[in-house]
Amino acid sequence: MFIMADIAFFALTFITIATAIISLESKEIVYGAISLALFFLSLAGFYVLLDAPFVAMFQLIVYVGAVAVLIIFTVMLVKREKWIKDEVIGLRYIGAILGLTLGLTLGLILIKTNFESMIASNSTVSILDIGIKIMNDYWIVLEVLALLLAVALIGAITMAKLDQEDS
Amino acid sequence: MESIIQYLVVSMALFSIGVYGLITKRTAIRMLFSLEIISNSAVLNLIVFSRYIPDVSATGQVISIFFIAILAAEAAVGLSIILVSHRIRKDIDVLDMHEMSE
């Protein structure tokens, strides 16, 4: 059982990092969008591996179901020639150097910490716990979040209408 | 069982990839991709720490759920801005977007 979890972890790591890089570097941006959807899917796999099945389902519904489809729609609506002049050559090296430096620095910080001694807790969180937590401690956050989603929806509709009036 | 360091290394690598993309790319939608990668690595970090610190397990998952909902709203607004910008300006190069500041 340990070995199964290890295999799953390494496979998910490989898929996650490979799809993240492909989604940024692929020539055709449609492939990039599909690869981003796979990236979201493999992160949901990580959440299952980390004993958070409810968050994994949430990730599947929100990201793979909604956001990935939205991104693919946008990519298909915008014409293909727009994507060709994608990057400035000089920025590429700066970005690579900065990303590597950031990764190495964070890695060194990780080695210095004593996180290695932390052990995974045995108690699993049930959906009931999450529901009680939301409704008791975080109900006001939930209300604000609902308001925020409504505002985002109204904003998107307003921008679409504004576009029609202009053209 | 895997140690916490392994998960944190994955999250860190995703964050670095996202920062690289955010600096390098100049079309708005690729920048949105890298933004999604960065914020997803943050959510992964939340879940990892909520797994390894027993007292805050439920809280960590609740906050990551809120985080995912906010990120979905952000992606919707960002994509609609990209679409409107494309309709009006016929271009989505972020280096040429000055209209809002003038």
Side-chain angles (χ1 to χ4, degrees):
Chain A
M1 189 183 152
F2 287 150
I3 295 173
M4 277 297 285
D6 276 343
I7 292 172
F9 175 79
F10 285 116
L12 279 175
T13 306
F14 178 73
I15 294 172
T16 311
I17 291 180
T19 49
I21 291 174
I22 290 170
S23 74
L24 289 178
E25 291 296 332
S26 66
K27 285 270 190 297
E28 290 275 340
I29 199 147
V30 180
Y31 295 150
I34 293 166
S35 162
L36 199 72
L38 282 178
F39 168 77
F40 295 145
L41 200 67
S42 56
L43 271 180
F46 267 120
Y47 301 154
V48 171
L49 212 59
L50 283 163
D51 280 348
F54 185 64
V55 183
M57 288 305 129
F58 207 77
Q59 168 96 4
L60 275 184
I61 293 169
V62 172
Y63 270 112
V64 186
V67 174
V69 173
L70 211 62
I71 286 175
I72 291 173
F73 257 116
T74 312
V75 167
M76 286 177 172
L77 279 177
V78 179
K79 274 207 190 105
R80 249 185 68 193
E81 301 88 63
K82 307 292 183 210
W83 313 115
I84 291 175
K85 45 166 190 175
D86 198 14
E87 51 189 44
V88 189
I89 298 297
L91 277 183
R92 192 185 179 92
Y93 297 110
I94 297 174
I97 289 168
L98 214 90
L100 275 178
T101 317
L102 195 67
L104 286 178
T105 317
L106 287 174
L108 286 179
I109 293 172
L110 268 185
I111 290 171
K112 288 284 179 192
T113 56
N114 55 355
F115 283 160
E116 195 71 54
S117 60
M118 293 169 101
I119 313 161
S121 60
N122 284 321
S123 62
T124 53
V125 180
S126 65
I127 296 176
L128 185 69
D129 291 337
I130 295 174
I132 290 173
K133 201 86 182 171
I134 287 179
M135 282 305 159
N136 282 334
D137 296 352
Y138 293 99
W139 60 271
I140 194 156
V141 183
L142 194 71
E143 295 295 324
V144 173
L145 199 64
L147 211 63
L148 181 95
L149 287 179
V151 168
L153 196 67
I154 294 169
I157 292 172
T158 313
M159 272 194 282
K161 281 180 77 85
L162 180 113
D163 178 41
Q164 277 178 356
E165 283 159 14
D166 274 7
S167 63
Chain B
M1 214 56 194
E2 301 85 31
S3 79
I4 185 170
I5 298 282
Q6 286 173 305
Y7 287 109
L8 290 182
V9 165
V10 173
S11 167
M12 182 197 77
L14 291 179
F15 186 81
S16 304
I17 291 169
V19 168
Y20 161 75
L22 204 56
I23 292 171
T24 312
K25 305 299 171 192
R26 58 187 289 196
T27 49
I29 195 151
R30 293 265 192 196
M31 297 179 86
L32 203 73
F33 282 11
S34 36
L35 211 65
E36 293 292 332
I37 291 172
I38 288 177
S39 40
N40 269 292
S41 81
V43 177
L44 180 64
N45 235 349
L46 272 176
I47 297 286
V48 169
F49 276 106
S50 79
R51 172 89 171 90
Y52 279 83
I53 303 173
D55 300 338
V56 297
S57 287
T59 312
Q61 296 195 13
V62 167
I63 289 180
S64 55
I65 286 168
F66 290 151
F67 200 172
I68 290 173
I70 291 174
L71 287 176
E74 171 249 317
V77 172
L79 286 173
S80 67
I81 287 176
I82 290 173
L83 270 184
V84 171
S85 158
H86 172 249
R87 291 267 176 79
I88 293 175
R89 303 178 53 250
K90 309 289 175 212
D91 200 4
I92 53 168
D93 193 332
V94 286
L95 294 184
D96 299 336
M97 282 187 187
H98 310 298
E99 276 89 3
M100 244 180 224
S101 64
E102 282 164 2

